[in-house]
Amino acid sequence: MTIALRRRLLAEFTGTALLVTAVVGSGIMATTLSPDDVGLQLLENSVATAFALGALILIFGPVSGAHLNPVVSVADWFLGRSAGTGLTGRDLAGYVAAQTLGAIGGSILANLMFDLAAVDFAAKDRAAGHLWLGEVVATTGLILLIFALARSGRAPVAPAAVGAYIGAAYWFTSSTSFANPAVTIGRAFTDTFAGISPASVPGFVAAQLVGLAVGICLLTALHPDAGTAADQVVAPTGERDPVLGHRP
């Protein structure tokens, strides 16, 4: 049974909004609780983000797959074309729009929760080659992880695995692992710990797209049949039959 596109788009919008709310909100809280320790701030921000991401995949995965990330959706569409799985072109356009709007809304929500201006464009400059390289690495690893899980039939562990990867990538990449064009755009709308200046957004998004391309190339080399599992990305979708108790 195919879940209606409007329901899947609502899930992608809401899930991405809550993800950015968690990223931005935990960053604001971290700077409030640990104003003089940047390392502790990053730890608090990364732990909250990792746990929130895992929980959001559990919530929205059964509806939309909980992509919450345009590069994941593009990879799902691209790899699934030959196998007749994954997103259609129409689905992809809707997913990317919902994710981007959700990310902006999530940043605004976090600002309002902490009594800040609803929109306050970030002043934090993140335009540098080593940061872009960090985004390529973070995005490549994310794509490899998600599709390797789906291809090997381990998609049910995606909430823990993806959350753990993003939490770890906060620390092992120079960019603190945005790895998500929608989240990058959303984070431009808050001048707080997690913010990125609008002028730095294009460089980050370009690096993420390079990471997407590298990830797809590696996947096709390592797992030529990865596209057959596109329907299981990030978490299995489809409704359970009310009588039989399983997905039709």
Side-chain angles (χ1 to χ4, degrees):
M1 181 185 300
T2 302
I3 295 177
L5 181 60
R6 65 179 181 278
R7 292 173 55 197
R8 288 184 281 139
L9 296 184
L10 177 60
E12 288 296 304
F13 173 87
T14 307
T16 310
L18 292 176
L19 174 59
V20 175
T21 299
V23 172
V24 174
S26 62
I28 297 171
M29 183 63 79
T31 56
T32 301
L33 297 176
S34 310
D36 301 317
D37 192 332
V38 177
L40 187 54
Q41 291 170 7
L42 184 62
L43 177 62
E44 293 161 349
N45 187 213
S46 62
V47 169
T49 299
F51 281 124
L53 179 56
L56 291 170
I57 293 172
L58 287 171
I59 294 169
F60 298 106
V63 179
S64 68
H67 292 188
L68 315 181
N69 187 336
V71 296
V72 175
S73 297
V74 171
D76 187 68
W77 165 77
F78 184 86
L79 291 169
R81 290 179 308 160
S82 60
T85 60
L87 298 178
T88 66
R90 175 170 172 261
D91 291 343
L92 175 62
Y95 269 50
V96 172
Q99 292 156 356
T100 303
L101 292 174
I104 295 170
S107 193
I108 292 172
L109 177 59
N111 286 338
L112 292 175
M113 281 201 302
F114 287 90
D115 198 26
L116 302 174
V119 174
D120 188 10
F121 291 109
K124 188 174 295 184
D125 180 32
R126 298 181 188 261
H130 68 285
L131 300 180
W132 299 333
L133 178 58
E135 282 301 287
V136 173
V137 171
T139 307
T140 298
L142 180 63
I143 295 299
L144 287 173
L145 171 64
I146 288 172
F147 281 86
L149 289 174
R151 187 259 179 193
S152 61
R154 294 176 293 166
V157 306
V162 174
Y165 174 81
I166 292 298
Y170 258 82
W171 292 89
F172 72 72
T173 64
S174 56
S175 62
T176 66
S177 182
F178 286 42
N180 186 326
V183 168
T184 302
I185 293 169
R187 288 169 67 166
F189 286 74
T190 180
D191 192 20
T192 59
F193 181 79
I196 176 173
S197 69
S200 297
V201 168
F204 263 57
V205 172
Q208 291 155 2
L209 294 178
V210 172
L212 165 64
V214 174
I216 288 175
C217 288
L218 285 172
L219 272 170
T220 55
L222 295 168
H223 305 293
D225 60 344
T228 60
D231 284 338
Q232 303 302 310
V233 174
V234 167
T237 60
E239 296 184 327
R240 296 183 179 276
D241 186 287
V243 176
L244 300 178
H246 59 74
R247 288 187 181 86

